[in-house]
Amino acid sequence: MTTFDVLVVGAGPAGATAAALLAQQGHSVLVFEKDEFPRFHIGESLLPACLPVLERIGVVPDSDTFVFKQGAEFLCETTGRHRRFVFTESLPGCDTHAWHVDRARFDRLLRDAAVAAGATIRHNETVTDAGASADEVFVTTRTDTVRGRYLIDASGQSRLLARRLGAAVPYENFGRCSVYTHYEGLSLAAWDELGPSKNIRIVLCKGGWGWVIPLPGRRLSVGLVGRTKITDEDLERELLRGPLVTRLTQGARRQDTHVVGNFSYDNQKPFGARYACVGDSAAFLDPVFSSGVTLALRSAEGVADLVGPALREAREMDAALCAQHAAGMDRACRTFAGLIDRFYNSHFAETVFLGPPNEDAQMRRGIMSVLAGDVWRSGNPFQEMLLSAKRNEARLRIGAAAGSRASSA
């Protein structure tokens, strides 16, 4: 017996957004979340392309959760080179600013938006299995099995269905490990140094890169990403002892250190009959350009906009329901993948992100549009260059993933 129209695994940004949009359409939605909220999560810097989704589900930015973000600044402390990129320089059609967020509060706001729309959230529910058949879907927890009409996997890095189907393929040449910490009680001088733009700082380091993100309440998120195993000692040596972080954190209180590994992968079967994967359960690239939350919100929105009408018209069993959406997400992922590949495996970071501003104006606007997450458009010459490069398929296994996505129906 089916008791809900849609079962969602995970109440993070992707799951909460999908639940909110489907509940807004009048469908019964049940979300399973293994944690209680608020809970901490990494991924604290948003892109302009996700702001319309937040507005659509009714999330209003407030100073307790959001810090204004004008763009990004790339720097190398060894050479002293530095360059700023701001979203106002993007091609027309995308918002011209973004936000840094306190993820515990941000995720709770999205969860609350889903509840306000009519979704049911079950916290402290660990999903042990889930799947779809021709007639229904199911989710099994440690204590119960619930059945429904459609399944959305928003389980994040747990990638429930990708593991169940053996469909997760790693990106071999991207970041593989991250070590990060937070500081509380930044001085007013340090906060002022970050400026009114409050840009994310991307620090190029040996073998990887570091981030410096201002957060609400005069706090700072600092992390290091590498392509091999890295430790707290690497974080100290490559970033925390550098002049920027040393200056910004003078007198501040350091919090716990966290390590995350093996996070770059593609799900080759992100959709099928009665199911779709959204957010990190569909793919996660690399945190260098802050694409994760934006891709999560946009993928959840795209799936909800397809599944909602299909449920009303009793055609949710169509295995190709999300094929066009998956193709659009694949294009977005290939765009970021091409940029990330160049960041790690060429001199692109040094010549473009740290070099003198000698590119033509249209190309710079194209670069900024990709950095803003505006990767579903046409007419961006820089994006087309990234998508047409042959090195993408050879290095990133994107070609095989795209073929599997097209045939997974």
Side-chain angles (χ1 to χ4, degrees):
M1 174 180 171
T2 59
T3 55
F4 287 87
D5 293 328
V6 184
L7 304 180
V8 181
V9 180
T17 297
L21 292 172
L22 286 164
Q24 284 177 0
Q25 298 177 56
H27 299 297
S28 58
V29 182
L30 174 61
V31 184
F32 301 85
E33 169 56 47
K34 64 181 179 180
D35 296 320
E36 190 58 69
F37 280 21
R39 56 98 171 94
F40 173 76
H41 203 285
I42 201 63
E44 300 153 312
S45 201
L46 309 184
L47 301 181
C50 76
L51 301 193
V53 184
L54 296 179
E55 182 178 359
R56 186 175 171 188
I57 64 175
V59 172
V60 179
D62 64 78
S63 59
D64 290 333
T65 307
F66 295 80
V67 168
F68 180 83
K69 172 187 175 183
Q70 187 183 55
E73 298 181 27
F74 294 81
L75 62 142
C76 175
E77 296 188 303
T78 301
T79 63
R81 289 180 295 173
H82 171 274
R83 195 171 176 195
R84 178 179 302 167
F85 294 79
V86 293
F87 297 131
T88 53
E89 297 179 334
S90 302
L91 294 167
C94 192
D95 280 280
T96 55
H97 78 280
W99 305 98
H100 306 297
V101 294
D102 178 312
R103 274 298 299 270
R105 292 177 178 271
F106 178 73
D107 288 12
R108 186 169 59 184
L109 284 175
L110 269 63
R111 187 276 314 268
D112 291 349
V115 172
T120 300
I121 314 287
R122 291 187 186 176
H123 287 278
N124 299 310
E125 288 273 14
T126 298
V127 173
T128 58
D129 197 11
S133 68
D135 300 320
E136 63 180 11
V137 301
F138 73 92
V139 170
T140 300
T141 69
R142 290 171 178 168
T143 60
D144 193 13
T145 294
V146 181
R147 303 187 184 279
R149 297 172 61 189
Y150 202 87
L151 173 64
I152 294 179
D153 180 7
S155 60
Q157 292 282 322
S158 297
R159 45 195 188 272
L160 176 68
L161 290 182
R163 292 183 187 276
R164 190 175 188 269
L165 299 172
V169 176
Y171 289 104
E172 299 291 351
N173 293 291
F174 290 178
R176 303 299 298 274
C177 186
S178 174
V179 182
Y180 57 92
T181 189
H182 289 81
Y183 289 87
E184 293 186 351
L186 267 65
S187 67
L188 288 173
W191 197 248
D192 288 343
E193 180 178 341
L194 291 166
S197 65
K198 295 296 184 289
N199 293 332
I200 182 175
R201 268 68 170 181
I202 304 296
V203 184
L204 273 66
C205 304
K206 183 179 179 181
W209 60 278
W211 76 73
V212 179
I213 300 174
L215 297 176
R218 297 213 315 268
R219 293 181 296 123
L220 202 67
S221 174
V222 183
L224 180 70
V225 177
R227 290 190 291 174
T228 59
K229 181 180 179 180
I230 54 177
T231 66
D232 190 20
E233 289 73 21
D234 296 311
L235 176 65
E236 289 274 0
R237 181 181 63 255
E238 298 290 343
L239 198 57
L240 301 189
R241 295 175 189 164
L244 174 65
V245 176
T246 298
R247 191 169 60 249
L248 291 175
T249 61
Q250 186 174 4
R253 300 179 298 278
R254 181 177 174 179
Q255 306 301 300
D256 293 339
T257 299
H258 305 268
V259 180
V260 179
N262 298 320
F263 46 67
S264 296
Y265 60 88
D266 181 74
N267 178 355
Q268 295 187 328
K269 297 180 180 178
F271 69 96
R274 293 189 183 272
Y275 83 87
C277 301
V278 297
D280 289 0
S281 70
F284 186 82
L285 299 170
D286 184 287
V288 62
F289 298 113
S290 303
S291 62
V293 175
T294 295
L295 292 175
L297 296 185
R298 292 294 294 264
S299 67
E301 178 185 45
V303 166
D305 286 347
L306 291 169
V307 172
L311 288 167
R312 287 195 300 272
E313 298 161 13
R315 52 182 178 84
E316 73 276 6
M317 72 294 295
D318 181 2
L321 176 63
C322 292
Q324 186 173 355
H325 161 76
M329 291 304 302
D330 182 72
R331 185 175 189 272
C333 287
R334 285 189 293 117
T335 299
F336 276 113
L339 184 59
I340 293 164
D341 176 51
R342 281 160 179 73
F343 181 84
Y344 280 115
N345 303 306
S346 73
H347 297 292
F348 189 85
E350 296 178 2
T351 57
V352 174
F353 293 132
L354 290 178
N358 55 8
E359 69 272 4
D360 66 69
Q362 189 70 3
M363 184 61 71
R364 179 178 175 85
R365 288 165 71 85
I367 292 171
M368 282 311 310
S369 287
V370 172
L371 294 180
D374 188 11
V375 290
W376 290 271
R377 66 180 301 136
S378 59
N380 181 346
F382 177 68
Q383 182 176 7
E384 295 305 322
M385 181 197 74
L386 293 175
L387 291 170
S388 65
K390 293 182 179 179
R391 62 186 290 159
N392 279 0
E393 292 188 9
R395 287 182 180 268
L396 309 177
R397 301 185 182 179
I398 291 294
S404 295
R405 285 168 185 254
S407 64
S408 63

